[in-house]
Amino acid sequence: MSGKLFGIDLGGTKIEGVVLKSAIAPEVLERMRIPTEAHKGYEHIIMQIKTLKEMIEEKSGTSFSTLGIGTPGALDPATQTMKNSNTTALNGMPFKKDLEDALGIPIKIANDANCFALAEATMGAVPDALPNAEAVFGVILGTGVGGGVVIHNKLINGRHGIGGEWGHNFLDESGGPCYCGLSGCVETVLSGTGLQKYYKTISGTEKKLKDIYQAYLDNSDPFSTQTIERLITYFGKAIAYIINSLDPDAIVLGGGVGNIDVLYTLGVEAAQKHVFNDTLETLFLKPKLGDSAGVFGAAMLVS
Ligand SMILES: [Zn+2]
């Protein structure tokens, strides 16, 4: 056993690979990327991953017996096919099996929010703040909302492969219909897209989230204030469900909405109102690994 970990992050435009020295000392030994060229279809994506694996093995002088891969969408444990992927060529395909056949080694697969959670829990924001954290919840609050649960440094995938998919809990009818077929999901209320849509509904004009937040800070636009105050209230309600059921040591907030500083102050105060405890000691952390979380988390899948 070399102890080295090999992970690949499959994105819509690029495929990135990384070799980490070990799970205990996750130093980057190699890092490479090639284009996905998803428009060329499913078989081509598989061939691109194979090419990247061969490039990395040659450069690192190591032949790997397994690798972890982070993907958009999830592998359904029952059907062993991909679902919910925005790289649509993958949906309905037995991606894990096809990739294992092409690469000749077993692989572990997880969606990008799970890889984010695993990376921040094991080598990012959490170990710096709380080295012995038992349970960590990592969320990406971006154009969509995804999440992952990490217990004792391992991901909880779940019976249906939807462990941590907090984004599709019901939150409030005002979010409206969600692409998933439900209505009022956390994602429709708290995502960047949902916030911009709400702003447009109440103001009649369009504004980017970062401008809405700036106007809230400047107190220069009542619609921006209303939008961010609503975010704070519903963030508190939505995250309190997680705290009351999982009681994590730390919650890491990724994605564009996770950059909104008041979530770490007023958002936590809003959560406190709904938490089944007199105090709220959960650490709310900003992510540390940036864009690297996906590929680092993929490598950590095989630790
Ligand atoms: Zn939904």
Side-chain angles (χ1 to χ4, degrees), residues 167-168 178 180 182 185:
H168 299 277
C178 182
C180 74
L182 301 173
C185 292

PDB file of all heavy atoms in Angstrom, residues 167-168 178 180 182 185, ligand 1:
ATOM      1  N   GLY A 167     -31.410  20.244   0.573  1.00  0.00           N
ATOM      2  CA  GLY A 167     -31.942  21.269  -0.338  1.00  0.00           C
ATOM      3  C   GLY A 167     -33.368  21.012  -0.780  1.00  0.00           C
ATOM      4  O   GLY A 167     -34.040  21.925  -1.248  1.00  0.00           O
ATOM      5  N   HIS A 168     -33.831  19.769  -0.621  1.00  0.00           N
ATOM      6  CA  HIS A 168     -35.189  19.463  -1.076  1.00  0.00           C
ATOM      7  C   HIS A 168     -36.121  19.100   0.076  1.00  0.00           C
ATOM      8  O   HIS A 168     -37.170  18.500  -0.131  1.00  0.00           O
ATOM      9  CB  HIS A 168     -35.149  18.444  -2.219  1.00  0.00           C
ATOM     10  CG  HIS A 168     -34.385  19.017  -3.356  1.00  0.00           C
ATOM     11  ND1 HIS A 168     -34.944  19.861  -4.291  1.00  0.00           N
ATOM     12  CD2 HIS A 168     -33.047  18.988  -3.626  1.00  0.00           C
ATOM     13  CE1 HIS A 168     -33.996  20.295  -5.110  1.00  0.00           C
ATOM     14  NE2 HIS A 168     -32.846  19.783  -4.731  1.00  0.00           N
ATOM     15  N   CYS A 178     -40.217  23.675  -7.559  1.00  0.00           N
ATOM     16  CA  CYS A 178     -38.804  23.334  -7.674  1.00  0.00           C
ATOM     17  C   CYS A 178     -38.638  22.394  -8.865  1.00  0.00           C
ATOM     18  O   CYS A 178     -39.557  21.654  -9.199  1.00  0.00           O
ATOM     19  CB  CYS A 178     -38.368  22.647  -6.381  1.00  0.00           C
ATOM     20  SG  CYS A 178     -36.629  22.195  -6.335  1.00  0.00           S
ATOM     21  N   CYS A 180     -37.314  19.713  -8.964  1.00  0.00           N
ATOM     22  CA  CYS A 180     -37.402  18.307  -8.536  1.00  0.00           C
ATOM     23  C   CYS A 180     -38.834  17.795  -8.557  1.00  0.00           C
ATOM     24  O   CYS A 180     -39.058  16.613  -8.329  1.00  0.00           O
ATOM     25  CB  CYS A 180     -36.798  18.149  -7.139  1.00  0.00           C
ATOM     26  SG  CYS A 180     -37.837  18.802  -5.817  1.00  0.00           S
ATOM     27  N   LEU A 182     -41.233  18.958  -6.525  1.00  0.00           N
ATOM     28  CA  LEU A 182     -41.876  19.407  -5.294  1.00  0.00           C
ATOM     29  C   LEU A 182     -42.018  20.932  -5.336  1.00  0.00           C
ATOM     30  O   LEU A 182     -41.715  21.570  -6.343  1.00  0.00           O
ATOM     31  CB  LEU A 182     -41.043  18.974  -4.082  1.00  0.00           C
ATOM     32  CG  LEU A 182     -40.819  17.453  -3.938  1.00  0.00           C
ATOM     33  CD1 LEU A 182     -39.850  17.151  -2.812  1.00  0.00           C
ATOM     34  CD2 LEU A 182     -42.137  16.732  -3.717  1.00  0.00           C
ATOM     35  N   CYS A 185     -39.187  23.980  -1.728  1.00  0.00           N
ATOM     36  CA  CYS A 185     -37.966  23.335  -1.209  1.00  0.00           C
ATOM     37  C   CYS A 185     -36.998  24.395  -0.660  1.00  0.00           C
ATOM     38  O   CYS A 185     -37.004  25.552  -1.108  1.00  0.00           O
ATOM     39  CB  CYS A 185     -37.226  22.612  -2.331  1.00  0.00           C
ATOM     40  SG  CYS A 185     -38.103  21.190  -2.977  1.00  0.00           S
TER      41      CYS A 185
HETATM   42 ZN    ZN B   1     -36.791  20.448  -4.733  1.00  0.00          ZN
END
